[in-house]
């Protein structure tokens, strides 16, 4: 399909009535199945983004479809003023999988992180700390609401929104010396540490081995809450159910969203120990949070992940994909690094490469993501098979080398 045909179909940047928060590529998808998408001309595409780590069990999964239709025909919403069995069930299953004790449901990742930030404030109150601080990371991404934005890092997303929320101190991700320095500098004002176990939005950055263990030990010995944002890494993406399990630790607070209901909006903030008991009725809430539809679909997603052993599949396919990419791109001198964990892979180039998103679409019928200008980010559905993998590697070789 030619470039002009794309532009003829889609509204232009200036004629669209949507606020200009995005610059969508000139294509409109109308259908999906598994790892594939189709546009209005019935052209087929391979999806290696999964709606940014959302549709992890693939598009139009029959069990997800069944859960949605059955629940839509039974009950969509009654409010949190009444008991809700699907919310109870999903909370129970998530606590079993994570080792956490209590769950709060919202509708997005940002909301899950806002919940975590409010828990940190209540924790401070209990400790009697008046002007509490939360340690966050350079290059962190936690969402776009003002609290989550303030915890995030980067001029491009924060510029224009000052004053941001106060109460954050920032250190380089993976740097344990900086952790010691900030601890002695701020002492008992620090009450919590919030981080992604692997940084996603800023280009797939893995910490040195043992880092999460160090954070756990440090938080425990100083009475800080260790709050992990697994919104992107959680639920099988990294080849384990949760990235924190790779280092055999348990956080105090854990946030999930993205893939939890495979595209039906949901976010969850989980906690254990003191953090699990901090909220009392009236202190936090959400109109839609924990609604029967999202929670039932969440239960179905967990069924699929378990039944098809998708975390282990993601681990296997991820290792294979990483090895194959390293071979295929060996001769490309402008490839700075290829790194990842499970099916969360970044290919960092020496120059900006945003244009590759459109080239991949037009030349290879492939969806890829480029983040922070220079890193190609791959987040395919966890059901990626060997045929998909071959197509992906061939296309990337052609695009990059
Ligand atoms: C996507 C993401 C968020 C924000 O989630 P939203 O649902 O867009 O609010 C927060 N943290 C991480 C690590 C993410 O990847």
């Amino acid at each position: 399909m030619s470039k002009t045909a794309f532009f003829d179909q889609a509204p232009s940047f200036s004629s669209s009535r949507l606020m200009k928060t995005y610059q969508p590529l000139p294509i409109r998808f109308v259908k999906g199945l598994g790892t594939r998408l189709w546009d209005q001309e019935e052209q087929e595409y391979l999806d290696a983004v999964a709606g940014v780590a959302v549709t992890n069990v693939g598009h139009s999964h029959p069990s997800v479809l069944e859960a949605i239709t059955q629940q839509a025909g039974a009950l969509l919403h009654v409010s949190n003023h009444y008991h809700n069995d699907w919310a109870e069930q999903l909370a129970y299953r998530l606590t079993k999988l994570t080792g956490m004790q209590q769950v709060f449901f919202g509708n997005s990742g940002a909301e899950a992180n806002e919940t975590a930030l409010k828990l940190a404030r209540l924790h401070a109150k209990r400790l009697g700390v008046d002007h509490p601080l939360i340690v966050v990371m350079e290059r962190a991404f936690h969402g776009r609401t003002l609290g989550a934005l303030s915890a995030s890092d980067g001029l491009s997303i924060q510029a224009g929104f000052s004053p941001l929320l106060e109460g954050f101190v920032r250190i380089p991700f993976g740097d344990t010396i900086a952790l010691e320095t900030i601890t002695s500098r701020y002492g008992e004002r620090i009450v919590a540490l919030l981080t992604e176990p692997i940084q996603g939005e800023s280009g797939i950055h893995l910490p040195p081995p043992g880092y999460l263990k160090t954070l756990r030990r440090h938080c425990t010995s100083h009475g800080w809450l260790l709050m992990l944002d697994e919104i992107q890494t959680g639920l099988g993406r990294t080849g384990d159910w949760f990235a924190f399990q790779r280092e055999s630790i348990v956080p105090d607070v854990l946030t999930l969203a993205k893939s939890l209901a495979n595209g039906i909006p949901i976010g969850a903030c989980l906690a254990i120990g003191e953090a699990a008991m901090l909220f009392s009725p009236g202190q936090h809430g959400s109109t839609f949070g924990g609604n029967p539809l999202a929670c039932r679909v969440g239960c179905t997603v967990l069924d699929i992940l378990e039944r098809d052993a998708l975390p282990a599949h993601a681990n296997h396919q991820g290792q294979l994909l990483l090895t194959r990419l390293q071979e295929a791109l060996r001769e490309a001198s402008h490839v700075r690094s290829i790194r990842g964990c499970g099916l969360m892979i970044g290919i960092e180039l020496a120059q900006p490469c945003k244009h590759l998103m459109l080239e991949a679409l037009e030349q290879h019928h492939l969806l890829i993501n480029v983040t922070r200008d220079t890193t190609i980010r791959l987040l395919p559905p966890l059901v990626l098979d060997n045929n998909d993998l071959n197509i992906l590697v061939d296309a990337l070789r052609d695009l990059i080398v």
Side-chain angles (χ1 to χ4, degrees):
M1 186 183 292
S2 74
K3 205 171 186 172
T4 45
F6 279 131
F7 280 108
D8 286 341
Q9 287 171 47
S12 72
F13 189 70
S14 58
S15 73
S16 169
R17 294 292 170 151
L18 298 170
M19 286 194 187
K20 313 267 180 277
T21 53
Y22 311 105
Q23 280 187 287
L25 293 169
I27 187 167
R28 285 180 288 186
F29 293 108
V30 293
K31 202 174 75 179
L33 187 65
T35 58
R36 303 306 168 107
L37 287 165
W38 286 267
D39 67 10
Q40 287 186 316
E41 257 82 72
E42 298 185 9
Q43 296 280 313
E44 186 178 327
Y45 295 78
L46 174 62
D47 182 2
V49 183
V52 194
V54 169
T55 52
N56 279 8
V57 303
H59 298 283
S60 304
H61 193 289
S63 305
V64 171
L65 175 62
E66 194 190 325
I68 292 171
T69 48
Q70 287 202 359
Q71 195 55 41
L75 185 66
L76 281 182
H77 180 85
V78 280
S79 94
N80 289 305
H81 296 139
Y82 309 94
H83 278 287
N84 167 355
D85 204 40
W86 287 109
E88 290 288 348
Q89 274 200 50
L90 183 59
Y92 178 79
R93 293 186 61 180
L94 287 174
T95 57
K96 286 277 157 202
L97 283 167
T98 57
M100 299 284 107
Q101 290 170 332
Q102 303 274 295
V103 184
F104 175 84
F105 288 118
N107 311 285
S108 68
E111 273 180 81
N113 285 333
E114 293 291 338
T115 308
L117 297 176
K118 285 177 79 173
L119 285 177
R121 291 281 173 91
L122 289 180
H123 177 61
K125 192 136 194 76
R126 265 184 67 126
L127 295 173
V129 177
D130 279 340
H131 297 284
L133 297 171
I134 299 172
V135 178
V136 289
M137 300 294 165
E138 290 178 5
R139 291 189 311 217
F141 183 79
H142 299 295
R144 305 289 195 149
T145 52
L146 270 173
L149 181 67
S150 306
S152 304
D153 190 23
L155 251 186
S156 66
I157 62 169
Q158 289 182 333
F161 300 111
S162 58
L164 294 172
L165 194 67
E166 58 183 276
F168 297 101
V169 286
R170 203 171 294 283
I171 58 173
F173 182 61
D175 184 340
T176 51
I177 294 168
L179 181 66
E180 294 295 344
T181 310
I182 206 136
T183 308
S184 35
R185 177 147 176 222
Y186 292 104
E188 297 189 344
R189 279 185 66 193
I190 301 176
V191 296
L193 181 149
L194 171 66
T195 186
E196 302 150 86
I198 296 169
Q199 293 183 321
E201 224 57 31
S202 61
I204 320 289
H205 298 288
L206 287 82
Y211 184 59
L212 294 183
K213 265 208 166 84
T214 303
L215 292 183
R216 176 66 281 176
R217 218 178 305 119
H218 195 88
C219 287
T220 303
S221 71
H222 291 85
W224 307 353
L225 297 179
L226 175 58
M227 312 200 296
L228 290 184
D229 175 347
E230 291 234 26
I231 288 163
Q232 193 163 145
T233 53
L235 298 162
R237 172 58 58 187
T238 64
D240 274 292
W241 274 92
F242 300 96
F244 70 79
Q245 293 167 337
R246 302 184 82 86
E247 291 200 7
S248 307
I249 62 140
V250 178
D252 300 294
V253 177
L254 174 70
T255 55
L256 303 174
K258 291 207 159 91
S259 69
L260 182 50
N262 211 54
I264 300 288
I266 187 170
C269 178
L270 297 82
I272 188 172
E274 184 225 318
M277 315 303 280
L278 286 168
F279 281 134
S280 51
Q283 280 191 310
H284 196 43
S286 160
T287 297
F288 293 130
N291 72 78
L293 179 76
C295 290
R296 180 169 183 169
V297 177
C299 287
T300 301
V301 166
L302 298 182
D303 288 340
I304 300 165
L305 292 173
E306 278 169 5
R307 190 193 59 210
D308 299 341
L310 289 180
H313 181 75
N315 188 45
H316 182 267
Q317 297 302 81
Q319 280 179 16
L320 191 61
L321 181 55
L322 198 61
T323 313
R324 294 277 308 281
L325 286 171
Q326 276 156 352
E327 280 164 21
L329 304 177
R330 205 172 31 214
E331 272 146 44
S333 57
H334 59 298
V335 173
R336 281 242 172 99
S337 106
I338 307 172
R339 53 185 181 252
C341 190
L343 284 172
M344 187 170 175
I345 293 178
I347 305 168
E348 185 177 342
L349 304 188
Q351 69 259 17
C353 60
K354 274 258 182 246
H355 61 283
L356 289 181
M357 285 174 65
L358 186 58
E359 277 182 41
L361 264 187
E362 291 187 337
Q363 295 168 16
H364 296 278
H365 282 201
L366 170 69
L367 283 74
I368 56 170
N369 178 252
V370 172
T371 188
R372 298 273 162 125
D373 283 337
T374 54
T375 303
I376 298 168
R377 179 169 54 157
L378 305 175
L379 297 161
L382 307 188
V383 292
L384 188 85
D385 69 19
N386 287 344
N387 182 37
D388 299 330
L389 196 147
N390 289 336
I391 295 170
L392 181 55
V393 173
D394 287 346
L396 286 167
R397 182 194 293 114
D398 197 74
L399 284 164
I400 296 169
V401 177

